[in-house]
Amino acid sequence: MTPPAGSSPGESPTAIEIADAVRHKRRPAVEFTQDALDHIREIAPLNAFLDDFGERALDQAHAIDTRIASGEADRLPLAGVPIAVKDNICLEWGRTTAGSRFLEDYESPFTATCVRRLLDAGAVVVGKTNLDEFGMGSSGENSAFGATTSPHGSERVPGGSSSGSAVAVASGAVPIALGTDTGGSIRQPAAFCGCVGLKPSYGRVSRYGLIAFGSSLDQAGPITRDVADATIALRLMAGEDPRDMTSSARAVPEAVPVESCRGVRVGIPRSARSAHNHPSVNDALSRAADALENDGAEIVEIDLPHQEHAIAAYYVVAPAEASSNLSRYDGVRYGRRAEGATLEAMYVRSRTEGFGPEVRRRIMLGTQVLSGGYERAMYMKALKARRLIKRDFDRAMAEDGSGCSLVLTPTTPGPAFRIGEKAGDAMAMYLQDIYTVSVNLAGLPAVSIPAGSAEDGGDELPVGVQLVGPTFGEERLLGHAQRMETLLAPD
């Protein structure tokens, strides 16, 4: 499917440009909001949005224009910027479904901290976006409300689980869409759709108001058109939250774009250039490395010896946490309830009817690895592997001068695959996360940046590369990411 006219991200204003226009009264917020709502309806065939907020969003925009007129422009760094929110992030209006029949009619009584902070900065929430159910998927095909389609081809997946958020940005509907990243669910769809996707350090952004998948892995972050928009979104979202004991009190310094990469050491894992990658991915990695080197960076090969265990460790740890988190959905307290002759029958029917096949698969896997006889053999071993993966990254980016400043990898092993291509092969689907899950296991920040395109089956598809930084190293990461974005920009 060809995207609607004017839907290219490069042709649409960025969040910074919109806010500047609204704050300086060149164009009112209500007009930008109406444009976004019109665009959401134009791209309805892509199934990126589960809900748009219509009149409520316009009321928010009117309130922003009133505040601008009364002299509050300096207090609204995102004045009038339309944003979209993944539907596993709570809002106190509309529904929050997590892409599941279990929560089809759930209305949250509160708003997630990360959204509240963007609203306080003047952003306008125009809608909730589609996702793989409870964030479990790498393709956007697992939503109970239908698959999301890529704007780069009607037969292609947009990636997942933040499928709708990536499509919302890639199609030009909004400049910022919030996603969540448990094993790559921001970065992978951003790469597939040709956007920037930022996964912050664990603890940098409050998880209050996120519907939990894997509590030690989940992080909210922005999908945007460029790194500058991701940078301002992170700065506004981040910070300590008394309602999330894992949130960090560390300040987020201003990330200033560097003028060159001279003196920066960038490590590329030996395993990153793989024969299993699509040729375009290896080419994109080489182009990115050459661009950085020509700009003064020192490119070195590094070893991450336990990277090969990342997928196995992740698909033990994440399902174990999912099985615990999703045990609350039992048909009693809230969500879908099916009729049953006994309490147990009601539990079984509610969960069977409410959960899709991928969620059921992960619950069963997680329950098994936590059960007697398997916990030590599988779960504890996966935690040990996780610790070793974190140690590998810490050594690679050691602060004593012996390590690298940043690590460069592909974001995905290939461009967007066809809808249904991997649906019957869970392992092939899970391997789409091979370059992203280790970052979540280690709690590091990472950003996916567009790095050209690939020709695949007659389609021209985006390809991304991933830049990884040290824990709470977003200032360094984003400063150099903006420079790399410039170096990789098409002529």
Side-chain angles (χ1 to χ4, degrees), residues 486-491:
T486 300
L487 297 173
L488 295 177
D491 297 329

Side-chain angles (χ1 to χ4, degrees), residues 121-132:
V124 176
V125 179
V126 294
K128 298 293 285 291
T129 56
N130 204 358
L131 69 152
D132 288 298

Side-chain angles (χ1 to χ4, degrees), residues 387-446:
R387 186 171 67 249
L388 293 172
I389 290 166
K390 171 74 163 81
R391 188 180 69 183
D392 289 344
F393 275 111
D394 289 343
R395 287 177 174 175
M397 292 184 282
E399 297 287 348
D400 62 5
S402 63
C404 302
S405 301
L406 301 163
V407 172
L408 177 67
T409 77
T411 307
T412 62
F417 46 91
R418 295 184 187 279
I419 293 172
E421 180 181 333
K422 302 183 189 297
D425 188 342
M427 183 55 68
M429 187 74 78
Y430 295 167
L431 287 172
Q432 294 302 301
D433 301 330
I434 192 168
Y435 296 114
T436 54
V437 295
S438 57
V439 172
N440 297 78
L441 290 169
L444 304 175

Side-chain angles (χ1 to χ4, degrees), residues 67 75-77 115-123:
R67 293 179 65 184
R75 298 171 57 185
L76 301 170
V115 180
R116 174 58 59 198
R117 289 175 174 173
L118 296 181
L119 290 170
D120 290 345

Side-chain angles (χ1 to χ4, degrees), residues 285-430:
L285 184 64
S286 295
R287 284 197 306 273
D290 290 345
L292 291 170
E293 190 169 39
N294 292 337
D295 200 49
E298 179 187 357
I299 305 297
V300 297
E301 283 196 336
I302 61 172
D303 287 311
L304 297 175
H306 299 94
Q307 171 74 25
E308 62 181 310
H309 304 300
I311 287 286
Y314 176 83
Y315 281 100
V316 171
V317 173
E321 295 188 5
S323 126
S324 176
N325 280 321
L326 271 62
S327 65
R328 72 193 73 177
Y329 303 104
D330 54 15
V332 176
R333 286 161 285 192
Y334 53 85
R336 186 184 188 94
R337 173 183 286 193
E339 295 301 318
T342 65
L343 183 63
E344 182 178 0
M346 185 270 290
Y347 284 161
V348 171
R349 286 195 60 188
S350 296
R351 291 169 70 82
T352 301
E353 294 176 10
F355 293 140
E358 182 60 30
V359 174
R360 293 200 297 267
R361 178 186 293 122
R362 298 197 193 194
I363 288 173
M364 289 188 290
L365 177 60
T367 301
Q368 180 180 9
V369 302
L370 291 176
S371 63
Y374 290 98
E375 182 179 6
R376 182 171 296 278
M378 299 179 70
Y379 182 65
M380 297 305 294
K381 188 173 290 186
L383 293 182
K384 290 177 182 178
R386 180 180 190 175
R387 186 171 67 249
L388 293 172
I389 290 166
K390 171 74 163 81
R391 188 180 69 183
D392 289 344
F393 275 111
D394 289 343
R395 287 177 174 175
M397 292 184 282
E399 297 287 348
D400 62 5
S402 63
C404 302
S405 301
L406 301 163
V407 172
L408 177 67
T409 77
T411 307
T412 62
F417 46 91
R418 295 184 187 279
I419 293 172
E421 180 181 333
K422 302 183 189 297
D425 188 342
M427 183 55 68
M429 187 74 78
Y430 295 167

Side-chain angles (χ1 to χ4, degrees), residues 85-91 96 98 103 106 108 110-116 134 178-182 186 200 202 205-215 217-221 237 241 243-244 246 325 328-329 334:
V85 176
K86 185 177 179 179
D87 202 28
N88 63 344
I89 302 175
C90 291
L91 292 180
T96 300
L103 295 177
Y106 175 66
S108 170
F110 59 90
T111 294
T113 297
C114 59
V115 180
R116 174 58 59 198
F134 284 100
L178 295 191
T180 59
D181 194 311
T182 306
I186 288 173
Y202 184 79
V205 176
S206 170
R207 291 184 296 111
Y208 178 77
L210 273 60
I211 294 180
F213 165 9
S215 300
L217 301 162
D218 297 340
Q219 271 292 270
M237 292 164 62
D241 179 4
R243 292 167 292 192
D244 175 9
T246 65
N325 280 321
R328 72 193 73 177
Y329 303 104
Y334 53 85

Side-chain angles (χ1 to χ4, degrees), residues 151-279:
H152 297 280
S154 60
E155 297 181 354
R156 300 284 176 167
V157 303
S161 63
S162 304
S163 55
S165 290
V167 172
V169 173
S171 65
V174 294
I176 297 174
L178 295 191
T180 59
D181 194 311
T182 306
S185 289
I186 288 173
R187 291 159 288 152
Q188 189 247 32
F192 278 5
C193 290
C195 307
V196 170
L198 172 62
K199 182 263 172 196
S201 301
Y202 184 79
R204 178 65 90 183
V205 176
S206 170
R207 291 184 296 111
Y208 178 77
L210 273 60
I211 294 180
F213 165 9
S215 300
S216 73
L217 301 162
D218 297 340
Q219 271 292 270
I223 297 175
T224 60
R225 297 188 184 134
D226 60 22
V227 179
D229 277 359
T231 300
I232 189 171
L234 175 67
R235 183 164 53 83
L236 294 168
M237 292 164 62
E240 186 176 17
D241 179 4
R243 292 167 292 192
D244 175 9
M245 67 180 183
T246 65
S247 63
S248 173
R250 296 179 61 158
V252 183
E254 191 80 29
V256 179
V258 298
E259 295 183 358
S260 82
C261 294
R262 187 170 305 282
V264 176
R265 183 181 295 173
V266 178
I268 299 179
R270 298 182 197 278
S271 59
R273 291 188 177 93
S274 170
H276 298 293
N277 291 342
H278 190 283

